[in-house]
Amino acid sequence: MSKKVLGGVAAASLVLSLAACGDGGAAAEDTVTVVMWGGGAQKAHVDSYITPWAEEAGVAIREDSPTDYAKIAAQVDSGKVSWGLVEVEPNYAKSACDDGLLEKLPQRVLDAAEKADIDPGQMNDCAIPILQYTFSIAYNTETFADAHPTTWAEFFDTERFPGKRGFWKYVTGGVFEAALLADGVAPEDLYPLDLDRAFRKLDSIKDDIVWYDTGDQQVQLVSSGEAPLVQAWNGRISQAAAAGEPVANDYGQNLVSYDQIVVPKGYANADLAFDWMVWFLENPQAQADDVVASGYGPASPQAVELVPADIRDDIAGSPAVDDKSAAVIDYDYWAENYDEVTQRFNTWITE
């Protein structure tokens, strides 16, 4: 996954002239700006479920990237909101919604979400999910040709499965949940996280951990064998395997995550943005098309059965993956504890 960039200068906007009747453009009131994490994933999302709606509705789409939470706050505070549909992490969506930085979902979006069988746990008053993925156990198929870890306890077993372990250098990236599962905590007892216990378990393999920041780095770590075991975003590993890299996912005790999409408070074309949300929720085929293009699972379970059979069992949201899942990341917990845990985590890494 190409995320997560929380600061820096966003890429220049791209304007796609998608107005109906070939009039060469659309008026400002018929424009929606879409902001995602950039890269190939953003292109896949826009091509699959933004452009088709825009062409139907006679709307022009502007793109920007990457998502930047400080910029959202600055736009809302200044009253000059230029970002419309913004892909965000759920812990941010919860905090920003509570802080009044985001538009509340209108009833028509809530009704469409219910009809689409969207998991209420993946929504809040301001956000709907747009994709799912899992933190899987990724392994190098050459290093572990005969046997590989299928649980987090085995992932932490450096004697039976020697080699470096890759983790995302980000507190909401499943590292603490994996450590607690490895230490014997039952999935239903994960939250609130016992951080002292999690850090003790991480201490046991600290010298064997390699931290990554990007999806490209995680794939490089596991495919090269530098870290033949990585807690990974499953879609990136699936894509690398399809490209011929010696990597694979094991979904034992996978941790389900998801991204959401929101509308910053005060966006002039919020009604248009919410029109898109309704269209998205009512079009499972567009979500299935995005699965093929991006490798990420769909928001709606209705889309799963529309995904080609040869890739269906390798996506979040499918029974094959969900039945092996240990838990869904609790982003309400992370909304409350993100800053405190991040400070402790950063100190621990440097000790």
Side-chain angles (χ1 to χ4, degrees):
M1 183 169 279
S2 60
K3 62 183 184 175
K4 301 294 194 217
V5 179
L6 306 184
V9 179
S13 295
L14 302 175
V15 182
L16 306 181
S17 295
L18 299 175
C21 304
D23 62 1
E29 60 268 23
D30 294 325
T31 299
V32 172
T33 298
V34 176
V35 184
M36 294 177 168
W37 300 106
Q42 178 161 332
K43 183 180 187 306
H45 303 331
V46 171
D47 289 349
S48 299
Y49 53 60
I50 299 291
T51 299
W53 166 77
E55 290 176 336
E56 287 183 17
V59 173
I61 298 298
R62 297 177 185 272
E63 288 187 58
D64 209 348
S65 68
T67 296
D68 184 322
Y69 301 151
K71 286 193 173 185
I72 294 174
Q75 289 183 22
V76 174
D77 288 346
S78 70
K80 298 177 180 178
V81 180
S82 60
W83 285 0
L85 291 163
V86 187
E87 182 182 5
V88 301
E89 297 162 288
N91 53 299
Y92 169 80
K94 175 68 165 59
S95 298
C97 188
D98 291 346
D99 291 342
L101 294 174
L102 305 175
E103 295 283 350
K104 296 290 183 69
L105 299 176
Q107 189 61 46
R108 69 181 190 277
V109 173
L110 299 176
D111 291 343
E114 183 177 2
K115 291 179 182 178
D117 297 321
I118 298 297
D119 181 354
Q122 294 189 13
M123 296 182 59
N124 67 39
D125 289 343
C126 302
I128 64 168
I130 58 166
L131 59 84
Q132 299 183 79
Y133 63 102
T134 73
F135 296 110
S136 66
I137 296 173
Y139 63 96
N140 184 292
T141 55
E142 295 174 350
T143 304
F144 300 110
D146 297 324
H148 64 269
T150 61
T151 66
W152 294 114
E154 293 177 347
F155 186 92
F156 274 71
D157 188 345
T158 57
E159 292 188 7
R160 183 180 175 191
F161 299 104
K164 298 291 185 180
R165 272 67 172 153
F167 282 105
W168 188 9
K169 194 178 180 181
Y170 196 51
V171 295
T172 65
V175 60
F176 298 106
E177 288 86 346
L180 290 171
L181 290 168
D183 205 42
V185 174
E188 62 271 21
D189 296 329
L190 272 178
Y191 298 98
L193 298 179
D194 185 337
L195 293 170
D196 291 340
R197 184 172 178 176
F199 276 110
R200 284 195 300 270
K201 188 64 176 178
L202 288 168
D203 278 333
S204 72
I205 63 166
K206 188 173 184 179
D207 291 342
D208 291 306
I209 295 176
V210 179
W211 300 102
Y212 66 79
D213 294 305
T214 70
D216 287 344
Q217 290 173 356
Q218 70 174 257
V219 170
Q220 175 62 26
L221 285 172
V222 68
S223 63
S224 69
E226 179 183 350
L229 294 173
V230 171
Q231 185 189 49
W233 311 330
N234 72 302
R236 291 302 298 260
I237 301 303
S238 298
Q239 291 168 345
E245 297 290 343
V247 299
N249 287 301
D250 190 283
Y251 289 110
Q253 295 187 319
N254 71 85
L255 296 159
V256 176
S257 184
Y258 53 97
D259 273 8
Q260 293 177 315
I261 199 155
V262 299
V263 179
K265 184 71 173 180
Y267 183 58
N269 288 344
D271 283 344
L272 270 182
F274 290 132
D275 286 348
W276 171 82
M277 286 190 183
V278 172
W279 185 95
F280 169 81
L281 293 164
E282 292 179 345
N283 280 271
Q285 184 60 59
Q287 296 182 43
D289 292 343
D290 182 65
V291 173
V292 175
S294 72
Y296 296 117
S300 171
Q302 296 173 8
V304 172
E305 55 194 49
L306 302 177
V307 175
D310 61 331
I311 63 173
R312 188 181 305 148
D313 289 349
D314 202 34
I315 61 168
S318 71
V321 173
D322 285 4
D323 287 351
K324 295 181 179 180
S325 177
V328 178
I329 301 293
D330 185 343
Y331 287 104
D332 285 349
Y333 168 87
W334 282 113
E336 294 179 8
N337 296 280
Y338 175 83
D339 290 339
E340 179 182 351
V341 180
T342 295
Q343 183 176 6
R344 182 175 177 182
F345 176 65
N346 290 338
T347 299
W348 175 81
I349 283 179
T350 60
E351 289 176 342

